[in-house]
Amino acid sequence: MTAHRPPLSSPLARGQCLLCGAACALTARSETCACGGNLAVRPDTDAATFHRMSDAPGLWRYAALLPVGAEYAGKLKVGWTPLLHLETSGGVALHLKDDTRNPSGSLKDRASEVAVAVAVAQGIDTLVMASTGNAAASLSAIGAAAGRRVIVTVPATVPPAKLAQIRAYGARVHKIAGSYAEACGVAARIAREIGAMNRTTGLNPFTREGKKTCAFEIAEQLDWEAPDWVIVPTGDGNILSAMAKGFAELQALGVIARLPQLVAVQTAAAPIIARAFDPALPDASGQGTIADSIDVAEPQDFHAAVMALRATGGVAVVVGDAEIRASVLTMAARHGVFLEPSSAAAHAAFVRLAGEGVFARGARVVLLGTGTGLKDPRPVLEAFATETLPETRPEEWRQLLDPVGEPA
């Protein structure tokens, strides 16, 4: 028996294939071009549009540059997260765009907020996606707040904390006995069969629209100047392509004078985008990594990510698990920000590049804090696994003081 298929949605925006360049009209159910390339929303580069910034909360202040209006915003505030100045060392100013403050603890909420708004605007009640964890938790949270049904497919390797978060938000979860790429294929088939929106990263052009608002905010928080470098944890490549799109739109509008150089951070377990620039890089695909969120063997936004690095004169860096673990602890203990491993990879890349003298004196470098460490505390649990804390009786409290009389 064939499932009922709702009628196709009406066009929402002008689109263009990132592979063949063909123009098209985008609807809430648009996925890829006939050639197989990913689609992108063609921007409105009318300067007057930009100056119609809204006083709506979060990312909806930029509604004039988004495919739907702020009237479709969800009840959870997404975006307008802080840009923290961490330190200035060797003349290089290091900042963190702390998107762990979003509702589900992830930058992915920006994509889900706009995708769900598009679904609401076109009367679609079900959203489907494949995810390694964060994006599914994000869609589940934003979808629940908007009263939408959410179905997700995840690989069997999804971390327990992320799976618990997805389930808590009430999503229907299917574990796929295979890779993330295979989970993407299953999600696409489900979406087409039941007429749902496929929010899978890279395959849904509206996810890039939500994530580009992170670039808008960074520029605005730096008094409408672009930083010199933005370091992006990179798996599917969609955040990377979105950051490039956001900064490019601001430059086209005359708001910023230049583009920042982007850094794609990957691991040896999945250096697919990095190897497009340096085929000699060792490839340990399939060996696993602590940074599960960027462990993507078949990036769904590969071509857009490569284009983003080339357009910005950026670079790709491969970091190891030992570097990532060290950065999780450094970011938490030195700066008070607990990042999950894939997010801490950005700091690991900064340490590597700073040591190589890549950043000029006076440079402003922004790390993207893409996910909270509460999603995957393994590096901390492992670091202190052998530590034993002795028990102290309440009446023995004085022995807890150090020699100068302060708590140890």
Side-chain angles (χ1 to χ4, degrees):
M1 182 175 178
T2 303
H4 171 67
R5 298 173 186 269
L8 289 177
S9 305
S10 57
L12 265 170
R14 298 177 305 156
Q16 186 169 22
C17 176
L18 294 173
L19 192 58
C20 73
C24 64
L26 296 178
T27 76
R29 294 188 177 88
S30 293
E31 290 187 22
T32 56
C33 175
C35 77
N38 287 354
L39 302 174
V41 176
R42 294 173 63 187
D44 180 353
T45 52
D46 176 2
T49 300
F50 179 75
H51 293 293
R52 294 201 301 270
M53 281 202 304
S54 168
D55 58 1
L59 62 79
W60 292 103
R61 67 188 285 101
Y62 309 109
L65 296 176
L66 295 175
V68 290
E71 65 269 26
Y72 295 107
K75 65 179 72 170
L76 304 178
K77 181 185 174 184
V78 178
W80 200 247
T81 57
L83 181 67
L84 307 176
H85 177 251
L86 300 183
E87 61 186 12
T88 299
S89 177
V92 176
L94 181 63
H95 302 264
L96 175 76
K97 181 58 171 168
D98 188 7
D99 258 36
T100 70
R101 311 287 187 96
N102 280 314
S104 81
S106 169
L107 185 149
K108 307 292 179 66
D109 289 347
R110 295 178 183 272
S112 296
E113 175 76 358
V114 172
V116 170
V118 167
V120 170
Q122 297 216 322
I124 295 175
D125 64 3
T126 302
L127 295 95
V128 180
M129 78 169 302
S131 169
T132 59
N134 277 346
S138 169
L139 180 62
S140 301
I142 305 301
R148 305 292 114 168
R149 184 169 66 136
V150 173
I151 302 171
V152 302
T153 61
V154 296
T157 54
V158 61
K162 294 180 182 179
L163 182 59
Q165 191 180 16
I166 298 166
R167 296 297 299 273
Y169 293 129
R172 182 174 178 180
V173 183
H174 299 288
K175 267 191 176 183
I176 304 302
S179 67
Y180 168 60
E182 290 169 312
C184 288
V186 173
R189 289 193 288 272
I190 292 173
R192 293 183 192 121
E193 183 66 21
I194 67 175
M197 172 191 269
N198 184 358
R199 180 251 183 261
T200 298
T201 299
L203 302 183
N204 184 311
F206 301 109
T207 62
R208 197 179 293 110
E209 295 301 290
K211 292 174 184 176
K212 76 180 183 184
T213 62
C214 189
F216 295 165
E217 289 177 20
I218 290 171
E220 184 171 359
Q221 289 165 330
L222 292 175
D223 295 324
W224 295 116
E225 289 187 5
D228 297 288
W229 297 85
V230 179
I231 304 182
V232 185
T234 303
D236 266 314
N238 192 242
I239 296 177
L240 190 73
S241 70
M243 296 301 292
K245 189 175 193 292
F247 285 117
E249 289 184 12
L250 292 183
Q251 185 183 47
L253 290 164
V255 177
I256 60 174
R258 56 174 178 76
L259 301 176
Q261 291 179 269
L262 299 182
V263 178
V265 188
Q266 299 205 285
T267 73
I272 315 305
I273 292 167
R275 281 173 60 83
F277 294 86
D278 184 1
L281 281 171
D283 187 350
S285 298
Q287 293 187 13
T289 172
I290 192 73
D292 65 280
S293 291
I294 56 174
D295 186 12
V296 179
E298 298 179 43
Q300 298 297 303
D301 214 16
F302 174 82
H303 294 290
V306 171
M307 289 168 59
L309 287 182
R310 288 176 175 157
T312 65
V315 298
V317 178
V318 175
V319 295
D321 277 13
E323 295 169 281
I324 292 171
R325 286 185 169 93
S327 284
V328 169
L329 298 176
T330 297
M331 286 298 298
R334 183 184 298 174
H335 303 298
V337 182
F338 187 19
L339 299 176
E340 70 167 317
S342 59
S343 185
H347 179 264
F350 170 77
V351 172
R352 171 87 67 81
L353 295 175
E356 295 173 356
V358 170
F359 307 121
R361 189 171 186 84
R364 289 189 295 189
V365 180
V366 175
L367 310 179
L368 289 194
T370 53
T372 173
L374 295 175
K375 290 174 173 287
D376 190 354
R378 285 178 295 169
V380 177
L381 296 176
E382 292 167 1
F384 298 103
T386 60
E387 182 180 66
T388 301
L389 296 175
E391 292 187 6
T392 304
R393 295 189 184 92
E395 64 272 18
E396 297 172 340
W397 64 271
R398 285 188 181 278
Q399 65 183 271
L400 301 179
L401 300 179
D402 69 15
V404 296
E406 295 294 334

